[in-house]
Amino acid sequence: MKVYPIKFNPILKEKIWGGNKLGNLLGKDTDKDNVGESWEISDVNGNISEVSNGVYKGASLKTLIADYEAELLGADNFANFGYNFPLLIKFLDAKTDLSVQVHPDNKMAKKHHNSFGKTEMWYIMDSDTNADIVLGLKDKTVNPEVLNHINANNVDAVFNREQVKKGDSFFIPAGKIHAIGAGVLAAEIQQASDITYRVYDWDRTDDSGHKRELHTQLAEKATKQFDSNGKADYTLQPNTKTNLVNCEYFTTNILDITKRQVKEYSNLDSFVVFMCVEGEAEVTAGLHKETLKMGETILIPASTQEVTFNSDNAKLLEVYVNNGLVESIQHAS
């Protein structure tokens, strides 16, 4: 496989809660005011990413996996996931609150949807003053049956809110109630699943006056309680990796790059995704160099030996699948 920093065409999603920061701040090609998501790397059915640069330009992610298998994914990843990319990589812009929601775990998703579950994380790239998120239930002893009775009068009493700021990072395992709040721009890393159970949608309606569907009975079955709010406790160290999340589905580190450096990947049996969340950097893999700007994403094949970074002001999320932790689960067919 040809080794170079592979870019993909973003798949932009208009959302009832979306805004214009993906275009205005991250340079996405849109003139719409309600774009909520940019799917950067996706193997979800109906939303397969297409390469935008280099020798593989025009090829789909699915084609690359079919042609290069473990060279792209890593041997263990190919053994565990076959011809499926295990992650979905996004940027999100919430002009208004997202619905309060929860995602199923692998077991429930397999049973009801023949799919993976959805564990995810957020890195806050920008936030308006006093912006917040919903994370979990306030009362950890409450019966999840309460989710069937959420309304404008009790919503603030049921759900826990956390104020956020730029640089905050949160881990949201499957089964945890959550919602990104108005004014938040975030990078999101998740399992390759698009299954969401809405619990409450703030009583809003679309242009036709219709409310979006809720899935409270499934949400009740999916919801679990967690002691922690999942916020990463970290101190950023320049020119080294700082861990944000290390779970069975992915590992995410943040790199604060202020000078030229070379990172070795020959012993990592996984592809690596880099998301630029601040500044910009030159990224070299093989003999090829790409400029990675804030709001851009690249994929480095698993066969890559080393990657060189050159910047005086870049922050990158480094994402890969930790094969020592990954749960062996073949994608449903």
Side-chain angles (χ1 to χ4, degrees):
M1 181 177 192
K2 191 75 170 178
V3 168
Y4 70 97
I6 301 173
K7 290 185 175 182
F8 296 87
N9 294 314
I11 301 170
L12 302 178
K13 303 281 188 177
E14 294 180 42
K15 297 290 183 178
I16 195 171
W17 43 263
N20 54 25
K21 290 181 180 179
L22 295 179
N24 292 345
L25 297 185
L26 302 191
K28 302 302 177 184
D29 186 15
T30 176
D31 56 0
K32 302 289 184 63
D33 289 328
N34 65 335
V35 178
E37 297 182 347
S38 176
W39 289 23
E40 298 288 295
I41 304 179
S42 170
D43 189 35
V44 174
N45 286 340
N47 295 277
I48 307 297
S49 292
E50 181 181 286
V51 178
S52 64
N53 71 329
V55 66
Y56 301 126
K57 184 176 181 178
S60 71
L61 176 59
K62 186 67 78 180
T63 297
L64 291 186
I65 297 172
D67 288 348
Y68 299 106
E69 300 178 344
E71 287 185 78
L72 178 68
L73 296 180
D76 282 352
N77 286 335
F78 184 63
N80 286 326
F81 301 103
Y83 295 96
N84 302 284
F85 195 74
L87 301 179
L88 175 57
I89 308 295
K90 300 178 181 178
F91 293 113
L92 293 91
D93 170 28
K95 185 176 182 179
T96 60
D97 292 341
L98 274 69
S99 63
V100 181
Q101 57 194 244
V102 68
H103 307 300
D105 61 16
N106 280 339
K107 183 178 180 181
M108 185 173 178
K110 173 70 173 178
K111 177 181 178 180
H112 291 277
H113 311 282
N114 201 29
S115 172
F116 286 126
K118 185 175 173 182
T119 285
E120 62 187 313
M121 69 156 289
W122 302 327
Y123 176 86
I124 308 302
M125 297 173 64
D126 185 70
S127 65
D128 295 347
T129 302
N130 296 324
D132 62 14
I133 58 177
V134 170
L135 273 182
L137 303 175
K138 282 187 174 180
D139 183 354
K140 292 180 172 55
T141 65
V142 72
N143 189 322
E145 197 270 340
V146 71
L147 301 179
N148 288 286
H149 307 288
I150 302 299
N151 56 57
N153 294 321
N154 68 6
V155 59
D156 290 331
V158 174
F159 300 124
N160 176 57
R161 283 186 176 268
E162 301 277 345
Q163 283 205 342
V164 299
K165 65 182 185 304
K166 180 179 178 179
D168 287 346
S169 177
F170 297 88
F171 177 58
I172 303 99
K176 187 166 194 169
I177 291 285
H178 63 278
I180 289 180
V184 174
L185 177 69
E188 180 176 277
I189 296 108
Q190 59 170 88
Q191 289 179 269
S193 170
D194 195 32
I195 300 171
T196 294
Y197 301 150
R198 290 191 201 99
V199 174
Y200 183 64
D201 200 29
W202 313 105
D203 298 322
R204 62 185 152 202
T205 58
D206 60 21
D207 292 339
S208 301
H210 299 124
K211 292 183 179 181
R212 293 195 295 175
E213 181 183 6
L214 301 180
H215 317 94
T216 51
Q217 291 186 339
L218 286 169
E220 181 184 345
K221 295 178 181 178
T223 296
K224 304 172 186 177
Q225 291 284 16
F226 298 90
D227 291 333
S228 168
N229 67 0
K231 184 178 180 179
D233 181 11
Y234 74 98
T235 301
L236 200 60
Q237 299 292 332
N239 303 306
T240 188
K241 69 178 183 182
T242 302
N243 182 248
L244 300 179
V245 170
N246 193 32
C247 72
E248 61 265 45
Y249 306 112
F250 53 84
T251 292
T252 300
N253 304 310
I254 185 166
L255 311 179
D256 182 17
I257 301 170
T258 62
K259 64 181 182 180
R260 183 182 183 276
Q261 57 178 289
V262 179
K263 285 182 62 68
E264 175 75 26
Y265 288 100
S266 58
N267 293 324
L268 179 66
D269 182 27
S270 176
F271 61 88
V272 185
V273 172
F274 293 102
M275 307 178 75
C276 187
V277 294
E278 188 174 327
E280 67 177 68
E282 289 183 346
V283 182
T284 303
L287 300 175
H288 300 269
K289 180 189 300 182
E290 285 286 347
T291 298
L292 187 62
K293 298 179 180 180
M294 179 177 172
E296 292 185 330
T297 303
I298 57 173
L299 172 68
I300 303 294
S303 56
T304 304
Q305 297 296 299
E306 65 179 30
V307 179
T308 301
F309 304 92
N310 198 354
S311 177
D312 60 5
N313 68 338
K315 290 183 177 63
L316 309 180
L317 299 185
E318 175 195 52
V319 185
Y320 52 85
V321 175
N322 187 335
N323 296 301
L325 294 175
V326 68
E327 176 182 342
S328 181
I329 175 171
Q330 293 292 339
H331 193 281
S333 59

